[in-house]
Amino acid sequence: MSDELEQLVRGTLRRQAAEITQDSLRHHDIRPVRRSRVAPVLLVLACVVAVAVGSVLIYQGHTASPLGTPPGYVGYQWRLTEVATGEANTVVSQDIRATASFFPDGTVVLVDSVNALTGRYDGTATGFGVRGIGTTLALYDGRDPVRLAVVTAVDDLASGQHVDAAVLGETLTLRAAGRTLTFQQVGPVHPSDLRPGPSR
Amino acid sequence: MSLPRSPAGAAAQRRVVPVRELFEQHYLAMVRIAYSVVGDRESAEDVVQDVFATLQKRDRAAGLTEPRHYLTVAVLNRSRSVLRRRRLLRRAGPARVEHEEAADESTIRRVESDRVLAAVRRLPTRQREVVVLRFLEDLAVREIARVLGITPAAASSSLNRAMSTLRQRLGSPDER
């Protein structure tokens, strides 16, 4: 019976195949590849979306991180090196201690060279906002224009307004209140950054 | 029958067969294989056309040492895609066995053919491919395994399961 079944299947498949003859074929040559009109449009759209998403991620500091990971500035202390306004750029020398430390638990410590401001930062799509600031209460009665520019700029970061943040390599750029503050990475945050004191 | 291989060590002397020539040599046979798997002529020709178009576009023919083997594998792969797409669109319809009038011998044969083809088409894809390669292409189990990229034992097992299923569905010759 097995042979009979095999013969039956073989015969049937071959009879069916034989129905297709050279003459009955629809094509007698290789037809050109069909090109979809939709594919190029989808490709362009995909590129636009990829560029947009990439820009947002880079601007947030997610330069190489997947969505859902912390922004690139978190976990590091950053030293302020320049304050730029529409009118002037102020280079901050290393002897002026002005830093921003972003702890993974949401604590931020801003040092404006005179006082240390401690509060919480909340990440947003393009940066962060600072709230609940407490500060040391030292006074500065000097006239150093660089120090005054630094104090004003850093204190503005703590004023509760939205701050745009971007990390590129070891450079952090913050924009708020018409100013652009440029920081250089010092290193990972350390518990001692939570206490005002001499610069590391 | 086995799929022709190039002689060992003859690579240097191997003639590069243009895709057009491969088309003329194998198109009909490949359409028949595809037809046995996908079950309709239009889809079968589309499958084989796509294979040759891709071959031509990529200019792959130059690297083919076993064109027939390559084409069979490619045709089966694309046939599988057709079947998958079809399954997504709709569940396979009932077998086309609707000839009820008593008729002459050719009609009876047609009815029986339809029953067999319907039973083959209801086999799982892998088993269907094994049956087509075994009984249409007359390939040995070892060759079937090579085309499908599986072990000879797996090919043999698929063939046995397929035949067992067909036996159940078609009944013994006496019952037919």
Side-chain angles (χ1 to χ4, degrees), chain A residues 1 16 20 24 26, chain B residues 32 41 45 49 121 167:
Chain A
M1 182 201 151
Q16 179 195 240
I20 302 178
S24 69
R26 282 187 302 144
Chain B
R32 286 172 169 172
R41 300 171 66 145
E45 275 210 66
Q49 279 287 339
R121 283 178 197 146
R167 195 169 296 120

Side-chain angles (χ1 to χ4, degrees), chain A residues 1-2 4-6 8-10 12-22 24-35, chain B residues 19-20 23 27-28 31-32 35-36 41-42 45-46 49-50 53 56 110 112-113 116-117 121 131 135-136 138 163 167 173 176:
Chain A
M1 182 201 151
S2 179
E4 205 169 331
L5 180 62
E6 286 184 9
L8 178 66
V9 174
R10 179 179 281 110
T12 304
L13 286 174
R14 290 184 177 185
R15 266 196 305 279
Q16 179 195 240
E19 288 172 8
I20 302 178
T21 61
Q22 199 71 46
S24 69
L25 293 170
R26 282 187 302 144
H27 303 282
H28 296 278
D29 205 344
I30 305 171
R31 71 178 175 216
V33 179
R34 286 169 295 179
R35 295 184 189 282
Chain B
V19 177
R20 187 75 187 76
F23 179 85
Y27 184 66
L28 179 60
V31 172
R32 286 172 169 172
Y35 181 38
S36 299
R41 300 171 66 145
E42 196 166 331
E45 275 210 66
D46 285 345
Q49 279 287 339
D50 284 349
Q56 191 168 56
R110 166 60 69 182
E112 185 167 71
S113 287
V116 174
L117 292 174
R121 283 178 197 146
V131 166
F135 298 117
L136 179 64
D138 245 349
M163 295 312 288
R167 195 169 296 120
R176 289 200 302 269

Side-chain angles (χ1 to χ4, degrees), chain B residues 129-150:
Chain B
E129 291 168 353
V130 170
V131 166
V132 168
L133 292 175
R134 178 76 191 94
F135 298 117
L136 179 64
E137 285 290 281
D138 245 349
L139 296 189
V141 168
R142 184 184 296 273
E143 283 295 331
I144 294 172
R146 213 162 68 83
V147 168
L148 296 179
I150 58 179

Side-chain angles (χ1 to χ4, degrees), chain B residues 42-103:
Chain B
E42 196 166 331
S43 300
E45 275 210 66
D46 285 345
V47 160
V48 182
Q49 279 287 339
D50 284 349
V51 168
F52 277 102
T54 305
L55 203 58
Q56 191 168 56
K57 187 179 167 192
R58 296 180 187 165
D59 196 22
R60 290 282 302 279
L64 296 183
T65 53
E66 300 173 65
R68 175 96 180 194
H69 172 86
Y70 172 89
L71 291 169
T72 307
V73 172
V75 164
L76 288 177
N77 285 341
R78 284 192 183 261
S79 298
R80 247 172 257 146
S81 301
V82 168
L83 295 175
R84 270 198 298 273
R85 204 161 48 236
R86 209 178 273 172
R87 271 197 296 273
L88 285 175
L89 291 174
R90 61 176 167 78
R91 285 283 172 199
R96 296 180 289 136
V97 186
E98 286 148 10
H99 305 265
E100 294 196 351
E101 339 169 341

